[in-house]
Amino acid sequence: MDKVDRLVEGWLRDGLLPGGVLDITVSNRLRFQKSYGLYSDGTNERPIHLDTLFDIASLTKVTATLPAILVLVAKGKLSLDSSVQHYLPEFRYPQVTLRHLLMHASGLPPDLPYLPRKAARTGLIDEILTQELLFIPGEDKLYSDLGMILLGIIIERVSGEPLDRFVREHVFEPLDMRNTLFTPGPELQDRIAATEQVDGDFIIGEVHDEKSFHLGGVSGSAGLFATADDLARYAAWWLQPEKWGIVPPSLMREATAHSVRGRGLGWEVWHDPASVPSCGESWPMGSFGHTGFTGTSLWIEPEQGLSVVFLTNAVHFGRNNKIRELRPILHEAVLSSV
């Protein structure tokens, strides 16, 4: 992985990224792990280590919300093709199903109007429930945080447990993901990479996403903090689901087998040459992954048993950073090295 290592080191020298952790696994043949760079806590510069926790932003959608839904489906408590209204009666559209929400095909808008972190927003869920659909469910695709937030609420109602507790008990603990959690406590503060500077202070240990922040740090759309090693464990589950008795492998395969316009259940799935994914066009069709706004990503190539976890706090340099341009370059370099 010398080529890949030099690439990331060069980005740090050029000031394109503050730092990060790269974790590459190829079946039982290769494991490459390395930490890079520094971040500021507002007073001092702190080095990033392999066990640094990152706000993984929208990776929460496929690392917490998706597996929690699959667990409840496997237990017979949810059906992917049932109406959202069946589980959430206050939702106004009976034609929208859980599958639509997972595939970002519900017609819900992508987001709500921006409100800063300090603004009061106690009625956020009611705001989502009043949104008009932008298209007929199932006839188009539009990435939506709102649908994933609703799925988080459905998980809580059906399971009778808070989302963070349910996913910890049924996913993270069985996979030995001991460093993946919502709302990390003060004892972990020194291990968490700072994200963006807001009102003069860097955000450390609090979720970067404003909607999740207004929901108390736990939502189906964002809020998880994790290490690269834990996400590599998570990827290993998707590569060999039969090794764990968490969810039937057939149900997990369904999540990535029937993609529509680049979306499976939760995952971004590479299948349409007209829509190149964030891993780059050289990766084989059938690869699947996801990204997070803070600068995080996880991509999996099932044929070779390849997983690439790249956790950065790119928003430390502001929201107009280069991570979207850098991701495909990195992943294509990894594939050519493999």
Side-chain angles (χ1 to χ4, degrees), residues 16-331:
L16 300 179
L17 291 173
V21 177
L22 180 60
D23 192 312
I24 303 166
T25 304
V26 188
S27 300
N28 295 319
R29 296 186 287 118
L30 170 72
R31 183 77 183 274
F32 175 87
Q33 296 173 293
K34 188 172 177 180
S35 61
Y36 301 85
L38 307 161
Y39 65 89
S40 172
D41 64 5
T43 304
N44 301 304
E45 287 192 332
R46 292 178 171 267
I48 290 175
H49 302 288
L50 289 179
D51 68 348
T52 294
L53 288 150
F54 289 82
D55 177 342
I56 65 172
S58 284
L59 281 181
T60 303
K61 295 177 172 70
V62 292
T63 309
T65 308
L66 171 62
I69 290 288
L70 296 182
V71 166
L72 290 170
V73 170
K75 290 177 177 292
K77 295 185 176 182
L78 288 177
S79 169
L80 292 177
D81 294 309
S82 290
S83 170
V84 171
Q85 203 174 69
H86 179 72
Y87 308 103
L88 203 64
E90 58 268 47
F91 187 69
R92 296 186 294 145
Y93 304 102
Q95 68 271 42
V96 177
T97 66
L98 300 189
R99 190 182 299 274
H100 287 142
L101 294 185
L102 280 170
M103 298 185 77
H104 299 280
S106 67
L108 283 168
D111 211 339
L112 294 173
Y114 171 80
L115 273 182
R117 298 169 70 83
K118 291 184 177 180
R121 199 170 202 167
T122 54
L124 188 147
I125 302 302
D126 290 336
E127 282 187 67
I128 296 176
L129 294 172
T130 62
Q131 297 298 304
E132 300 290 334
L133 299 186
L134 301 181
F135 54 83
I136 297 172
E139 291 196 356
D140 205 346
K141 180 201 76 174
L142 185 63
Y143 184 86
S144 174
D145 281 357
L146 309 188
M148 286 290 179
I149 291 172
L150 293 182
L151 285 171
I153 295 170
I154 290 170
I155 291 163
E156 294 187 334
R157 290 196 180 181
V158 171
S159 70
E161 296 184 64
L163 174 63
D164 53 348
R165 183 195 305 165
F166 183 84
V167 75
R168 183 181 70 244
E169 292 175 353
H170 294 275
V171 181
F172 301 153
E173 288 180 356
L175 293 174
D176 199 25
M177 295 169 63
R178 301 186 182 191
N179 292 290
T180 302
L181 72 165
F182 291 93
T183 60
E187 72 279 3
L188 294 174
Q189 193 83 351
D190 289 344
R191 287 182 52 199
I192 301 173
T195 53
E196 190 177 18
Q197 191 173 28
V198 176
D199 298 326
D201 295 317
F202 285 103
I203 301 170
I204 306 175
E206 290 184 341
V207 61
H208 177 265
D209 178 80
E210 288 86 8
K211 295 184 298 301
S212 182
F213 179 79
H214 289 132
L215 289 169
V218 180
S219 83
S221 178
L224 270 185
F225 290 76
T227 62
D229 184 72
D230 267 19
L231 292 185
R233 291 174 185 272
Y234 185 69
W237 176 45
W238 282 86
L239 286 167
Q240 292 184 295
E242 64 281 354
K243 290 182 63 175
W244 293 269
I246 303 171
V247 171
S250 59
L251 187 56
M252 294 176 69
R253 285 193 289 269
E254 182 183 348
T256 60
H258 305 292
S259 58
V260 176
R261 295 188 61 190
R263 280 288 165 187
L265 298 179
W267 294 105
E268 182 182 0
V269 182
W270 178 208
H271 83 290
D272 183 0
S275 179
V276 178
S278 59
C279 64
E281 61 186 0
S282 66
W283 274 50
M285 297 284 183
S287 300
F288 57 96
H290 210 283
T291 64
F293 184 80
T294 50
T296 58
S297 62
L298 166 62
W299 271 93
I300 298 170
E301 199 284 282
E303 290 301 316
Q304 296 186 73
L306 168 65
S307 68
V308 179
V309 180
F310 190 39
L311 301 187
T312 82
N313 54 337
V315 292
H316 198 60
F317 286 168
R319 300 194 177 195
N320 295 320
N321 57 74
K322 301 293 184 181
I323 190 64
R324 289 183 179 85
E325 300 170 29
L326 304 180
R327 278 193 191 112
I329 298 170
L330 173 79
H331 286 81

